[in-house]
Amino acid sequence: LSWSEALVPGVFPPIRLQINDSEGHPSSSHQALKGTSKWATSLENLLEDPEGVKRFREFLKKEFSEENVLFWLACEEFKKTQGKKQMQEKAKEIYMTFLSSKASSQVNVEGQSRLSETILETPHPLMFQKLQDQIFNLMKYDSYSRFLKSDIFLNHKKSEEQEENSPEAQTAAKRASRIYNT
């Protein structure tokens, strides 16, 4: 389950069909969105792609707000933690890194002042969910739209397009089209 699917109980993810050419590669005419095209559809898609996260972090670093995505990622990782001892350790690490008044990469969230170290004694997978949602919304409605207009995004998109238009990519597309048109 992805993070966005976990938020909507009872809703199943969409079924994705993929048509392949004779070599088993996705058909160019039915290819699912990928790379910057997929990143541009939603912040959720961007955060599901390691390369997208890398580029978004690069952008946020320039905006002095990289801690937002780092906190969000830490919370995602925390949800997967097994065992009370490991949860306590990770919860404390998240608290000390992002939420404490002495945090090295403090995020700005409402309700932060109500959090105290006492909650770290009885951790549970969703203990940071409300704060994580605040940061997600901050990124979605603030940083994300600027990222899509940034040189980092636009240059990456341009290099992807140049790669797709390379002679090798066109040869593969011609092979695939010959298969479907015979």
Side-chain angles (χ1 to χ4, degrees):
L1 268 193
S2 74
W3 176 78
S4 58
E5 291 162 352
L7 290 180
V8 188
V11 175
F12 296 96
I15 296 170
R16 290 186 182 92
L17 297 175
Q18 183 172 302
I19 298 173
N20 296 326
D21 65 17
S22 64
E23 297 172 17
H25 303 293
S27 162
S28 58
S29 61
H30 295 89
Q31 203 165 31
L33 289 177
K34 62 181 182 180
T36 54
S37 299
K38 192 171 181 181
W39 304 349
T41 60
S42 71
L43 179 58
E44 291 89 340
N45 286 339
L46 171 72
L47 293 172
E48 287 174 2
D49 182 342
E51 183 65 22
V53 170
K54 179 182 169 187
R55 301 297 175 171
F56 193 48
R57 278 185 63 185
E58 194 180 318
F59 170 76
L60 291 177
K61 195 179 281 188
K62 288 182 176 192
E63 290 213 332
F64 304 100
S65 60
E66 182 186 24
E67 67 278 358
N68 291 335
V69 74
L70 294 176
F71 173 71
W72 188 88
L73 292 167
C75 291
E76 284 300 289
E77 200 55 40
F78 177 75
K79 292 175 194 175
K80 301 173 194 167
T81 305
Q82 301 291 314
K84 186 178 179 185
K85 182 84 174 141
Q86 288 84 353
M87 285 185 94
Q88 284 176 325
E89 288 170 10
K90 281 197 176 188
K92 183 172 181 158
E93 186 180 323
I94 288 171
Y95 179 81
M96 297 308 282
T97 305
F98 301 106
L99 301 170
S100 155
S101 58
K102 301 172 194 141
S104 57
S105 299
Q106 190 176 32
V107 291
N108 188 11
V109 288
E110 291 176 30
Q112 189 172 338
S113 55
R114 290 192 302 267
L115 273 184
S116 69
E117 289 188 53
T118 57
I119 66 159
L120 303 177
E121 298 304 314
T122 54
H124 58 88
L126 301 177
M127 67 188 283
F128 297 116
Q129 189 65 54
K130 283 184 181 174
L131 301 177
Q132 184 186 15
D133 290 346
Q134 281 183 40
I135 290 299
F136 179 84
N137 285 327
L138 176 69
M139 291 188 301
K140 183 175 184 171
Y141 297 110
D142 185 37
S143 318
Y144 175 64
S145 57
R146 284 195 310 282
F147 170 71
L148 295 178
K149 297 171 191 163
S150 73
D151 286 344
I152 291 171
F153 176 80
L154 296 173
N155 290 339
H156 192 74
K157 182 178 180 179
K158 191 177 188 179
S159 69
E160 269 183 1
E161 289 166 355
Q162 288 171 343
E163 211 172 272
E164 286 174 14
N165 294 327
S166 72
E168 297 84 29
Q170 289 177 355
T171 304
K174 283 178 187 172
R175 276 197 314 267
S177 68
R178 276 199 305 269
I179 293 163
Y180 291 110
N181 294 330
T182 53

